[in-house]
Amino acid sequence: MTTTATTQPGTPVDQPKQDGTLLRVLRRLGFENVSLVLAIVVLSAGIASVNPAFLKLANIAAIGNYVTVMGLLAVIQTVVIIMGGIDISVGSTAGLASVLTGMVFAANGQWWAAMLVPLLVGALCGLFNGLVVVFGRITPLIATLATLASFKGIAQLVSNGRAQGFTGADPVFIFISRGTILFIPTLIWVLIIVAALVHIMLRFSRVGRDIYAVGGNDMAARLSGINVNGRILLVFVLAGVVASIAGILITARTGSGQPVSGSEGLEMLAVTGAALGGAALRGGKGSVISTIFAVILLGVLINGMTLLGINPFWQNIAQGALLIAAVVIQQLSAGGRRVGLPK
């Protein structure tokens, strides 16, 4: 005889557990974004408790201006990493663009020519990187390590290793470096616009979906009809263009083309910002919004260390520690095999 369970009226029936409101909000915002914002708030509060000058509007604007160049490079580095590559030549490309901006402006005094030439050269630098990766069949790390040195050498060669030109008297460059729109510095607006355009491309376009697919599994992407080589070339060209925009901002901010000093170490900051924002170095995962929060965190950290009078050499140590921490967290969360340990 089989007994069947009956449900009496009013008796609760087992139903799937519903997530709490807070958990749903956190998932929508993204745990990485929330954790980065909390880190920014806690770090800012700690620095301000020691040095109240940290919260002055002038210092906050200084942080914003400082993170602009780093943010541009970190945003485009995020795209390259999502694709499954890395471009450590972006700092050298920015330095070359900065030099060309100063030299072209000194030659003809036209701000538009001083911006157009480095943008074209930056696109060519990115295209060269892409061609080396695609047709030379060299990993992006090695290819861009080589061009990091080459582009830096070209910048030093054409400038004789010295700052070039003077843009500090031109109204357009003055507006870029010191102007404001709706009380927000122009430099920050440049970062906002570029980041928004890249975010829209990644999230709402076929090109963006293709980039994620290539980074997730390039062989599967190729079999599904995606032009993998074309997407790789496109991403590296975009990296060169955005790096050139960063170089133009360096020239506007310093008043002259800087072959090395204005761009030294930017590639490290770009990779750190992207990795800290959750861009998976294995490819296929990343977010521009998270990268922006990570860049702000880096800016707050570096600015705070300066205000507190900490030896500048510790900044490099802090950046390296953050990069290691970000990659370790990625590796552990992905369940990947750690080097030197059994599976």
Side-chain angles (χ1 to χ4, degrees):
M1 179 175 176
T2 305
T3 303
T4 57
T6 59
T7 303
Q8 299 297 328
T11 302
V13 180
D14 289 339
Q15 293 186 8
K17 274 188 168 182
Q18 298 295 322
D19 291 335
T21 302
L22 178 59
L23 186 58
R24 289 199 302 272
V25 171
L26 289 177
R27 281 180 175 171
R28 187 166 186 83
L29 294 176
F31 289 103
E32 287 173 346
N33 293 340
V34 173
S35 61
L36 286 168
V37 170
L38 287 176
I40 292 170
V41 171
V42 171
L43 181 60
S44 299
I47 296 170
S49 66
V50 178
N51 190 336
F54 175 82
L55 295 178
K56 290 184 177 180
L57 288 178
N59 187 62
I60 294 174
I63 294 175
N65 288 336
Y66 173 77
V67 303
T68 299
V69 171
M70 173 173 58
L72 287 171
L73 298 181
V75 163
I76 200 60
Q77 190 73 257
T78 299
V79 179
V80 180
I81 290 174
I82 290 172
M83 185 194 66
I86 193 168
D87 185 353
I88 57 174
S89 70
V90 288
S92 295
T93 303
L96 178 58
S98 176
V99 165
L100 292 175
T101 301
M103 294 180 69
V104 173
F105 185 78
N108 62 19
Q110 301 295 322
W111 64 267
W112 59 268
M115 295 182 186
L116 180 60
V117 171
L119 287 174
L120 292 175
V121 171
L124 290 174
C125 289
L127 179 61
F128 181 78
N129 282 337
L131 291 172
V132 171
V133 170
V134 170
F135 296 104
R137 299 187 179 183
I138 299 175
T139 60
L141 175 62
I142 300 301
T144 58
L145 177 63
T147 54
L148 175 148
S150 298
F151 297 159
K152 181 185 293 185
I154 294 171
Q156 293 172 319
L157 184 65
V158 299
S159 65
N160 289 320
R162 299 191 298 268
Q164 296 291 314
F166 178 70
T167 61
D170 181 76
V172 173
F173 282 100
I174 290 174
F175 176 71
I176 292 173
S177 62
R178 298 195 290 274
T180 60
I181 302 174
L182 298 177
F183 306 105
I184 298 176
T186 309
L187 289 170
I188 297 178
W189 275 113
V190 174
L191 174 59
I192 291 172
I193 292 170
V194 172
L197 291 174
V198 172
H199 176 73
I200 291 170
M201 178 195 73
L202 287 175
R203 295 297 180 183
F204 305 106
S205 74
R206 180 178 176 180
V207 171
R209 291 191 293 271
D210 288 352
I211 291 171
Y212 277 102
V214 171
N217 188 324
D218 62 335
M219 184 60 70
R222 195 181 302 276
L223 292 175
S224 66
I226 295 174
N227 183 355
V228 174
N229 290 346
R231 293 305 184 223
I232 292 173
L233 291 173
L234 174 63
V235 167
F236 276 108
V237 169
L238 288 176
V241 170
V242 174
S244 293
I245 295 174
I248 293 169
L249 296 189
I250 291 172
T251 299
R253 196 168 62 184
T254 61
S256 59
Q258 302 293 325
V260 175
S261 61
S263 57
E264 190 75 39
L266 287 177
E267 51 281 325
M268 173 68 175
L269 289 170
V271 174
T272 302
L276 193 60
L281 297 182
R282 65 184 181 277
K285 178 188 174 186
S287 164
V288 169
I289 295 174
S290 298
T291 295
I292 291 296
F293 285 135
V295 165
I296 294 173
L297 178 61
L298 281 171
V300 168
L301 175 64
I302 293 171
N303 178 269
M305 293 178 73
T306 301
L307 281 181
L308 298 179
I310 298 175
N311 190 319
F313 297 143
W314 281 101
Q315 294 181 12
N316 292 330
I317 296 174
Q319 292 166 25
L322 281 174
L323 180 56
I324 291 173
V327 176
V328 167
I329 291 171
Q330 283 185 21
Q331 190 77 351
L332 292 176
S333 63
R337 178 183 181 275
R338 273 81 75 192
V339 175
L341 294 178
K343 293 183 179 179

